[in-house]
Amino acid sequence: MLYGIIADVHGNLEALSAVQAFLAARGVERLLCLGDIVGYNADSDACVRLLAGPPVLAVAGNHDLIAIGRLGAERCGAKAAFALRRTRDELSAESKRALAMLPKRRVVEGHIVLVHGGVVDPCQYMVSPVHIEENALLLGEREPSGRVCFFGHTHVQALYEVEAGVATARPTGERVRLGRGRRCFFINPGSVDAARRSEKLAELAVFDSWRQEISFHRVPYDHERAERRASEGGYRMTWLDTRLGAARGALDRLRPRWR
């Protein structure tokens, strides 16, 4: 089957719409979503309606779990935590129910594994061969049939090949044939949302499970409109928000002295 692989949409409907149009033009048969459907941008409810149920196969990301109260925001940066508070307030009950139904890990076709961050920790950033090697061991324990593991969270397109326990970073491109045999692969399609990236292009990958071939892509979208709507919706920290946050942090540090 020809799969579209996406991650880290973060409520960015403009970017998601551009990605869906790109995939439709390529005849993609099924969409796989690696989580973080919500958070940071203004259209989390719309993105949940499009991604958190059939025919899309999705897993929960850390932002999705924070938005429904299953995780705290302690491991998030200040801007992401600020936007998530707004997301939690604005997210509909229907969207929260849909996100609550998403698993943290999913297996497709018996050998394709979907996670958000690490194999067992959705908040883990897998950004080095060492991280991949550690998670390859976990994959072998949790999903022994897993051969291709798709992950997100880092907002960086990446391809790692693991053979005999050793992970090697491979170049990403528009046509990469995966080898067969005893090797396994960890693949990040990049992030649909580009709000925190200098190059404002939505990232994704297309995976042909018959040919065992992956291609990485970047598509333009209306970033200015998405950013304007996020600012108008109260998802961006202003100068005053930053100052108030710093003041609250200083008070929190002083509290133990007052007790």
Side-chain angles (χ1 to χ4, degrees), residues 2 7-8 16 30 50 57 61 85 101 135 146-147 182 204 223:
L2 196 62
D8 300 284
L16 178 59
R30 177 64 64 88
L50 290 169
L57 296 178
R85 286 192 290 271
M101 296 293 290
N135 277 270
R147 183 176 170 276
R182 301 177 67 88
L204 68 147
H223 165 72

Side-chain angles (χ1 to χ4, degrees), residues 83-154:
L84 277 165
R85 286 192 290 271
R86 182 66 173 170
T87 301
R88 186 181 293 181
D89 291 342
E90 294 297 318
L91 203 61
S92 70
E94 182 181 2
S95 291
K96 289 179 180 179
R97 285 194 294 270
L99 293 176
M101 296 293 290
L102 295 178
K104 292 182 182 179
R105 186 169 66 245
R106 190 188 288 269
V107 180
V108 181
E109 289 191 20
H111 72 285
I112 302 168
V113 181
L114 313 181
V115 298
H116 177 67
V119 171
V120 297
D121 180 6
C123 296
Q124 183 185 11
Y125 287 94
M126 294 203 290
V127 295
S128 74
V130 171
H131 297 146
I132 299 300
E133 289 165 3
E134 294 169 350
N135 277 270
L137 291 174
L138 293 171
L139 184 68
E141 295 170 0
R142 267 66 170 187
E143 305 294 347
S145 65
R147 183 176 170 276
V148 178
C149 182
F150 288 106
F151 69 100
H153 194 47
T154 68

Side-chain angles (χ1 to χ4, degrees), residues 5-247:
I5 316 293
I6 64 171
D8 300 284
V9 178
H10 290 298
N12 190 328
L13 185 60
E14 286 77 15
L16 178 59
S17 298
V19 164
Q20 288 180 313
F22 176 87
L23 293 173
R26 294 180 68 89
V28 166
E29 300 164 274
R30 177 64 64 88
L31 187 59
L32 307 180
C33 177
L34 310 177
D36 274 10
I37 296 171
V38 307
Y40 207 68
N41 291 289
D43 287 299
S44 286
D45 278 329
C47 292
V48 169
R49 286 193 295 272
L50 290 169
L51 297 175
V56 179
L57 296 178
V59 295
N62 62 310
H63 278 228
D64 305 320
L65 296 170
I66 293 168
I68 60 174
R70 289 189 179 175
L71 277 181
E74 297 83 8
R75 295 167 72 179
C76 293
K79 291 180 180 180
F82 178 89
L84 277 165
R85 286 192 290 271
R86 182 66 173 170
T87 301
R88 186 181 293 181
D89 291 342
E90 294 297 318
L91 203 61
S92 70
E94 182 181 2
S95 291
K96 289 179 180 179
R97 285 194 294 270
L99 293 176
M101 296 293 290
L102 295 178
K104 292 182 182 179
R105 186 169 66 245
R106 190 188 288 269
V107 180
V108 181
E109 289 191 20
H111 72 285
I112 302 168
V113 181
L114 313 181
V115 298
H116 177 67
V119 171
V120 297
D121 180 6
C123 296
Q124 183 185 11
Y125 287 94
M126 294 203 290
V127 295
S128 74
V130 171
H131 297 146
I132 299 300
E133 289 165 3
E134 294 169 350
N135 277 270
L137 291 174
L138 293 171
L139 184 68
E141 295 170 0
R142 267 66 170 187
E143 305 294 347
S145 65
R147 183 176 170 276
V148 178
C149 182
F150 288 106
F151 69 100
H153 194 47
T154 68
H155 292 217
V156 177
Q157 292 181 328
L159 169 62
Y160 293 91
E161 178 182 326
V162 183
E163 186 171 17
V166 178
T168 305
R170 300 300 189 196
T172 58
E174 289 195 10
R175 188 174 181 179
V176 182
R177 184 68 61 88
L178 304 183
R180 298 183 183 272
R182 301 177 67 88
R183 289 172 287 182
C184 70
F185 298 87
F186 280 74
I187 302 170
N188 192 321
S191 63
V192 171
D193 175 46
R196 286 170 281 180
R197 226 179 13 248
S198 59
E199 190 176 31
K200 304 306 181 184
L201 298 173
E203 296 178 332
L204 68 147
V206 176
F207 179 57
D208 188 326
S209 65
W210 176 256
R211 293 186 172 89
Q212 289 291 293
E213 188 174 275
I214 187 81
S215 58
F216 296 84
H217 306 276
R218 295 179 175 92
V219 298
Y221 70 94
D222 192 344
H223 165 72
E224 291 184 1
R225 183 175 190 275
E227 193 64 23
R228 183 174 64 251
R229 297 190 65 254
S231 295
E232 292 171 351
Y235 293 85
R236 295 291 181 266
M237 291 183 74
T238 64
W239 176 85
L240 180 59
D241 294 321
T242 303
R243 299 294 292 179
L244 288 173

